[in-house]
């Protein structure tokens, strides 16, 4: 019996390789089919080195030809594995978003989300359009900090596709997994599920035009961080740390991760949170209270400043321990909005420093798909 090549290809169209949606012929896995009478040679190209997938594919080919073409066929399968080159970690840009800033910390509990929220409102006050992606999947804080805990993003149609419209508060657009879960509900997901949810909030959302997207990252150096740097062209990261040695050790690891050859995301600088405590001067009015000169360095003195110097990265500023910062976060109105307060001044200075570093980064380093900022409202350090 003489085998027909067309019959064999038709039979092989009924098989798919594990993990791929297309059939073997359509996907290009069948590189060639040669027949010699009752003999057939199938050249198979796989894109995964997994031995069980290779064996299953070979067995499926033999079984299918015997069942659908000829039970007497003599079959040989030549398998070749071609693993595609590992893609460079760059990510794809989101149209309309000019700069994406990650806010990270090696250690939890250092006030990273608080700093993110106050940076965002300070940028908005300067006239920039700002968004926050709350990437802290397991401990989302932004809905509380912006007093939108009970809000839900609505669906809008953009170019014929359904997109999530971010919740807006204090002129800042926000998306967080906290909008999709009950306040008391824990997010008990493995890494791939968390990463998928994150990608939906990034790419299935109608962010519109943004000068800055701030990404509030979880503590550590794990799945979520890798998902972000692989999904998005991060302009740079800001590291938040408290002054004590334990926090600094973890902050150093965070800086090391972003500066590693594999990830290579510019570190814009380090912010020292909870730098010192000063009691308020009760002799002044509520509107004009100033911090007195006596400072109590509860967690150590200038630890993050010294770390920045050791690592040769910019020091962006220090945030003191002030009760109103905590209260403002809990009440859902970021402290930087307190007009005329010391805290407003502190965050304005830090925000100007962040913007200055972004401008310098965009001028002096290769672009990561980020568009240069052209308007520097409120930033005296930047040439107009």
């Amino acid at each position: 019996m003489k085998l027909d090549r067309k019959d064999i290809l038709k039979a092989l169209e009924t098989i798919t390789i594990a993990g791929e949606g297309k059939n073997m012929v359509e996907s290009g896995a069948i590189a060639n089919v040669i027949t010699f009478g009752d003999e057939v040679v199938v050249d198979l190209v796989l894109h995964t080195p997994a031995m069980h997938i290779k064996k299953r594919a070979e067995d499926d080919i033999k079984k299918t030809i015997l069942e659908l073409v000829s039970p007497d066929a003599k079959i040989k399968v030549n398998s070749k594995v071609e693993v595609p080159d590992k893609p460079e970690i760059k990510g794809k840009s989101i149209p309309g978003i000019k700069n994406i800033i990650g806010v990270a910390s090696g250690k939890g509990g250092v006030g990273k989300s608080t700093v993110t929220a106050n940076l965002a409102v300070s940028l908005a006050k300067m006239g920039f359009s700002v968004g926050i992606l709350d990437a802290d999947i397991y401990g989302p804080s932004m809905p509380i900090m912006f007093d939108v805990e009970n809000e839900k993003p609505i669906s809008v149609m953009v170019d014929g596709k359904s997109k999530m419209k971010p919740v807006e508060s204090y002129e800042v657009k926000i998306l967080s997994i906290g909008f999709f879960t009950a306040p008391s509900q824990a997010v008990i997901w493995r890494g791939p599920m968390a990463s998928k949810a994150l990608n939906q909030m990034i790419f299935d959302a109608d962010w519109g035009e943004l000068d800055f997207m701030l990404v509030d990252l979880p503590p550590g150096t794990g799945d979520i961080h890798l998902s972000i740097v692989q999904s998005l062209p991060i302009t740079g990261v800001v590291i938040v740390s408290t002054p004590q040695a334990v926090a600094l050790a973890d902050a150093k690891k965070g800086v090391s991760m972003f500066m590693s050859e594999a990830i290579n995301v510019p570190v814009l600088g380090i912010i020292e949170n909870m730098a010192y405590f000063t009691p308020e001067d009760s002799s002044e009015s509520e509107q004009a209270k100033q911090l007195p000169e006596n400072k109590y360095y509860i967690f150590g003195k200038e630890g993050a400043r010294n770390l920045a110097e050791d690592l040769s990265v910019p020091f962006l500023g220090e945030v003191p321990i002030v009760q109103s910062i905590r209260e403002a976060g809990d009440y859902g109105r970021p402290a930087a909005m307190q007009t005329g307060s010391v805290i407003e001044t502190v965050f304005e200075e830090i925000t100007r420093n962040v913007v200055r570093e972004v401008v310098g980064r965009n001028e002096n380093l290769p672009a990561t798909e980020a568009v240069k900022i052209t308007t520097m409202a409120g930033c005296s350090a930047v040439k107009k």
Side-chain angles (χ1 to χ4, degrees), residues 3 278 318 322 329 353 362 381:
L3 297 174
T278 59
E318 55 187 25
V322 178
N353 290 339
N362 286 344

Side-chain angles (χ1 to χ4, degrees), residues 108-125:
V110 297
K112 169 183 48 57
S113 296
T114 298
V115 168
T116 303
N118 284 287
L119 279 176
V121 297
S122 296
L123 285 166
K125 282 164 58 180

Side-chain angles (χ1 to χ4, degrees), residues 59 65 113 121 139 148-149 174 183 187 197 199 209 241-242 247 261 277 322 343 363:
D59 290 345
I65 293 174
S113 296
V121 297
V148 287
E149 199 173 2
I174 307 159
V187 178
N199 273 339
E209 299 285 330
S241 179
T242 50
E261 188 177 346
F277 169 72
V322 178
I343 296 308
E363 288 178 349

Side-chain angles (χ1 to χ4, degrees), residues 254-285:
V255 172
S256 174
M257 178 185 110
F258 289 109
M259 294 179 74
S260 68
E261 188 177 346
I263 293 179
N264 194 27
V265 171
V267 176
L268 300 173
I270 297 176
I271 296 172
E272 183 171 274
N273 193 29
M274 307 181 204
Y276 54 84
F277 169 72
T278 59
E280 290 182 334
D281 187 347
S282 58
S283 65
E284 299 186 31
S285 68

Side-chain angles (χ1 to χ4, degrees), residues 314-336:
F315 181 68
L316 300 171
E318 55 187 25
V319 182
I321 301 173
V322 178
Q323 184 173 327
S324 64
I325 297 179
R326 191 274 306 165
E327 291 173 342
D330 287 349
Y331 290 138
R333 184 176 171 83

